[in-house]
């Protein structure tokens, strides 16, 4: 029979890999807590309209990458392609600004985009996203960039470049857009078909086209940073000063416009070395108009999201596998010893120890083999003799062959404290 495969671009994260993920997630939680950010969880499905109104109708995401389908009542739903729109929807729906002047939120979870799958690009991928709502001051942008880099540091990511730009605001961007459009029209024969089309609808997107000739046109095009209004210019300058005060290295990239329409003022991307075409590991910016565009009051905000799949690809190049705690394996000989073995295991697990057994109840030899495969530090053997004596034979698989600890009989009531002492040293408890 033909077997069923996972959907293209979507993949399993198998138990042998989840240790990496869990460690990365733990480290991110800890770093975000240090800055006082709290987790928000929003649904994976949202009304399609939410993404159309926030990300923008003329973007690649909305035009061709969303997983959209009809619900049973005919309403249109979309699997979230990103987290910011949902966070803002929730912020408005829960009148959050009435509860606190500043909201520091983060989320972690799967996002869905129907892109062409390749290394580092998937149709279901995972993001950690961080949003700071309620502050217009440049200090908020600086905090977000600081959070982003601290998160990367906490998970051990090294070797990246921070790129920075400002996209201006609703008062200076339209006139820049016009100037850019005039320039692009003059150079339209050098543009790819896609850019010739976008030139009218979304001219800024032409600037980050990957096609060589379009890139050249983009390099020569008027730069948005030369066309910021005074407020946006001062804002951007102060953001730069803050980043410099934190000794964070960065480049200005005037062609970075981002693929989502909600951005205003500061935008940034973190590019990792050695990841090929999909090298943006985190990206974000300010979106001062989004809360009001979705029906809330005028509320400034800034945020970023990091792609965890890509980060892990990069980490796997260098990092050591996360250590698993040293464990115990219980081997029982004969049916009479099995109930005693169960009680011993229950007792040890209640004390927080990691305990396994071979539930197939094969021969002693087969059970010992399994214990060895599992890499158990201690093997506890319970036969009829041990049961009668109220004892357990403890084998320390790490001890030297001639050591007294290699194999010894221990009374059952002394077993827990003996193992706890040995394992708390090995597993670094109390460090
Ligand atoms: P974005 O640039 O679309 O921004 O995505 C952020 C990050 O998600 C990317 O830099 C990349 O690491 C990862 N990513 C995106 N698409 C894929 C994919 N198909 N496969 C693997 N990784 C991917 C946003 O999503 C904004 N919501 C960020 C933001 C938050 N802006 C303000 N607040």
């Amino acid at each position: 029979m033909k077997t069923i495969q996972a959907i293209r671009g979507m993949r399993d994260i198998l138990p042998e890999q989840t240790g990496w993920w869990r460690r990365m997630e733990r480290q991110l939680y800890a770093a975000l807590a240090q800055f006082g950010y709290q987790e928000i969880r929003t649904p994976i499905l949202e009304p399609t309209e939410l993404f159309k109104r926030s990300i923008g109708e003329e973007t690649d995401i909305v035009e061709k990458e969303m997983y959209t389908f009809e619900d049973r009542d005919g309403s249109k739903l979309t699997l979230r392609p990103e987290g910011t729109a949902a966070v803002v929807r929730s912020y408005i729906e829960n009148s959050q600004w009435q509860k606190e002047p500043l909201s520091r939120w983060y989320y972690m979870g799967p996002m869905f985009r129907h892109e062409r799958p390749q290394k580092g690009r998937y149709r279901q991928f995972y993001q950690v996203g961080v949003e700071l709502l309620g502050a217009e001051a440049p200090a908020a942008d600086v905090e977000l960039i600081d959070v982003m880099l601290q998160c990367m540091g906490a998970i051990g990511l090294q070797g990246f470049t921070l790129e920075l730009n400002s996209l201006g605001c609703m008062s200076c961007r339209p006139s820049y857009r016009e100037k850019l459009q005039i320039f692009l029209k003059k150079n339209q024969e050098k543009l790819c078909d896609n850019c010739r089309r976008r030139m009218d609808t979304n001219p800024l997107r032409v600037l980050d086209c990957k096609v060589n000739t379009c890139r050249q046109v983009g390099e020569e095009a008027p730069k948005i940073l030369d066309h910021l209004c005074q407020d946006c210019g001062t804002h951007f300058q102060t953001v730069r000063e803050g980043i410099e005060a934190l000794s964070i290295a960065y480049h200005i990239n005037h062609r970075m416009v981002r693929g989502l329409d909600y951005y205003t003022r500061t935008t940034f991307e973190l590019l990792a070395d050695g990841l090929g075409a999909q090298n943006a590991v985190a990206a974000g910016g300010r979106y001062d108009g989004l809360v009001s565009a979705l029906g809330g009051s005028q509320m400034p905000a800034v945020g970023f999201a990091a792609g965890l799949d890509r980060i892990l690809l990069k980490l796997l190049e260098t990092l050591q596998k996360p250590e698993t705690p040293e464990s115990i394996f219980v081997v029982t000989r004969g049916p009479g010893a099995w109930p005693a073995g169960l009680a011993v295991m229950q007792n040890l697990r209640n004390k927080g120890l990691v305990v396994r057994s071979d539930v197939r109840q094969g021969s002693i030899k087969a059970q010992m083999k399994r214990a060895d495969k599992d890499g158990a530090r201690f093997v506890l053997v319970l036969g009829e003799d041990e049961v009668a004596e109220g004892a357990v034979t403890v084998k320390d698989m790490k001890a030297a062959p001639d050591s007294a600890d290699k194999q010894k009989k221990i009374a059952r009531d002394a077993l827990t404290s003996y193992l706890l002492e040995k394992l708390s040293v090995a597993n670094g408890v109390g460090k």
Side-chain angles (χ1 to χ4, degrees), residues 101-102 132-142 169 231-232 234-236 238-239 264-266 286-288 298-302:
L102 281 180
L132 171 48
L133 298 115
E136 191 183 3
D141 310 49
V142 175
C169 65
D231 283 353
C232 287
T234 311
H235 193 278
F236 191 57
T238 317
V239 171
T264 51
R265 293 191 165 172
T266 320
R286 182 163 276 289
Y287 48 96
D288 291 342
Q298 175 50 41
M299 191 58 73
V302 54

Side-chain angles (χ1 to χ4, degrees), residues 279-293:
N279 64 344
V281 286
R286 182 163 276 289
Y287 48 96
D288 291 342
L290 185 56
V291 178
S292 58

Side-chain angles (χ1 to χ4, degrees), residues 60-71:
D60 285 352
I61 296 180
V62 171
E63 273 181 354
K64 48 190 189 212
E65 294 171 3
M66 295 204 305
Y67 281 90
T68 296
F69 57 93
E70 267 187 19
D71 203 353

Side-chain angles (χ1 to χ4, degrees), residues 397-411:
M397 309 306 276
K398 260 196 178 170
D402 53 351
S403 142
D405 279 352
K406 187 73 200 164
Q407 173 161 332
K408 59 173 159 187
K409 234 180 216 175
I410 293 182

